[in-house]
């Protein structure tokens, strides 16, 4: 039977580290702050920003939540970002993706001060990841996946990793992170996607398969090598008449069929999801320290 990688437990370890760092900053009179902005009333986005804000408060950070109406203009959103950039009490700024269609998301991301871009989406931070510069911000989901692998003792050094999906939020930064030099990196990375020829043959070559393609139950048992590690980044809501709500969350991996073949696998929910918020908190603390010229970590190494 495969090992189940418990994202909630590993996220709690990250939160415990955050609490230590927040206490050390508090002793210096510093309260880190995160601003989360959501435009429109997409229910999933509202749930995500709500849980980010709650987690900040629970850890002892300041949180500033902006729920803007769907008709908010590009100019209004850019004006808010400019205000948050200038606000000394704000260390991190996150604009929930995806915004409504009339918003130019790339322009909004470019408007965020890179030193407060705790999502790691600004072109400067993308470049810093590619150039392996440690003071940049790495997107939270790929950073969480790397942390899960490290916490589970899964060696990436020399491993064949296949990343399924090429998004700017997960696929591309995940590939850059795992191919970078050093601990948690040094992997041989292949990025596969919906247009990859003979996809199953490619995914079967993986020691570690990271599914981030956004399609429910896309990865089937024939696509996974015996003994592989499978990380499921997908969060898909599908109809389920047997559930009380009529829907249920599933990943990109057909868990029931794939799990018995794996050395280790992440569940959905309770796998990668909790790690994303944990790394957001960790990135916000990094921003708070770097903006004040402090060492990256107050407590550890
Ligand atoms: N939407 C889905 N994931 C993310 C994320 O990590 N950051 C932001 N800003 N939006 C998202």
């Amino acid at each position: 039977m495969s090992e189940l990688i418990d994202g909630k437990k590993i996220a709690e370890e990250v939160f415990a580290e955050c609490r230590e760092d927040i206490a050390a900053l508090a002793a210096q009179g510093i309260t880190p702050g995160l601003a989360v902005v959501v435009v429109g009333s997409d229910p999933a986005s509202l749930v995500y920003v709500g849980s980010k804000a709650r987690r900040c408060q629970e850890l002892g950070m300041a949180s500033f939540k902006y729920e803007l109406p769907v008709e908010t203009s590009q100019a209004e959103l850019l004006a808010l970002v400019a205000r948050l950039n200038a606000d000394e009490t704000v260390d991190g700024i996150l604009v929930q993706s995806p915004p409504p269609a009339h918003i130019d998301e790339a322009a909004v991301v470019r408007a965020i001060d890179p030193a407060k871009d705790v999502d790691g989406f600004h072109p400067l931070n993308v470049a810093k990841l590619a150039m392996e510069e440690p003071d940049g911000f790495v997107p939270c989901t790929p950073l969480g996946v790397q942390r899960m692998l490290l916490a589970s003792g899964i060696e990436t050094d020399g491993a064949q990793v296949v990343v399924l999906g090429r998004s700017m939020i997960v696929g591309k930064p995940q590939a850059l992170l795992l191919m970078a030099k050093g601990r948690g990196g040094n992997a041989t990375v292949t990025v596969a996607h919906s247009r990859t020829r003979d996809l199953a043959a490619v995914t079967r070559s993986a020691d570690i398969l990271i599914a981030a393609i956004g399609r429910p139950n896309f990865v089937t048992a024939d696509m996974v090598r015996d003994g592989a590690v499978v990380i499921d980044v997908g969060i898909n809501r599908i109809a389920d008449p047997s559930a009380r709500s009529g829907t249920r969350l599933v990943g990109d991996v057909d868990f029931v069929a794939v799990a018995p073949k794996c050395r280790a696998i992440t569940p959905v929910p309770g796998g990668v999801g909790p790690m994303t918020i944990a790394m957001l908190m960790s990135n916000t603390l990094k921003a708070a320290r770097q903006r004040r010229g402090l060492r990256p970590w107050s407590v550890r190494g």
Side-chain angles (χ1 to χ4, degrees), residues 147-274:
R147 174 77 189 231
M148 289 179 109
L149 294 172
L150 284 166
S152 308
I154 294 160
E155 187 59 78
T156 55
D157 199 314
Q160 296 281 353
V161 174
V162 174
V163 178
L164 186 50
R166 53 181 160 176
S167 72
M168 288 306 299
I169 295 187
V170 185
K172 285 197 187 89
Q174 189 74 77
L176 287 168
L177 193 58
L178 296 181
M179 78 170 86
K181 293 180 201 75
R183 193 165 165 263
N186 293 338
T188 304
V189 181
T190 302
V191 179
H193 47 78
S194 55
R195 304 295 291 265
T196 297
R197 205 182 329 122
D198 202 357
L199 184 60
V202 175
T203 58
R204 269 198 304 273
S205 72
D207 302 315
I208 301 170
L209 176 61
I210 301 173
I213 199 160
R215 297 200 205 166
N217 299 321
F218 181 83
V219 175
T220 46
D222 61 303
M223 296 170 73
V224 178
R225 167 203 285 183
D226 280 334
V229 172
V230 175
I231 307 292
D232 190 350
V233 179
I235 302 179
N236 309 290
R237 192 165 284 285
I238 61 164
D240 179 358
S242 72
R244 207 144 56 101
S245 63
T247 66
R248 131 181 102 92
L249 285 182
V250 297
D252 290 352
V253 177
D254 180 354
F255 183 88
V256 173
V258 170
K261 300 186 75 172
C262 299
R263 169 181 155 201
I265 187 167
T266 62
V268 177
V272 174

Side-chain angles (χ1 to χ4, degrees), residues 52 94-98 119 121 140-141 169 276:
K52 287 164 184 169
L94 177 149
V95 179
Q96 186 65 27
S97 180
D119 257 332
F121 294 167
C140 304
T141 300
I169 295 187
T276 298

Side-chain angles (χ1 to χ4, degrees), residues 102-125:
H102 67 277
I103 298 288
D104 177 352
E105 188 175 12
V108 174
V109 166
R110 282 171 197 268
I112 296 172
D113 177 351
K116 297 188 177 186
D117 170 37
V118 288
D119 257 332
F121 294 167
H122 189 285
L124 185 72
N125 284 316

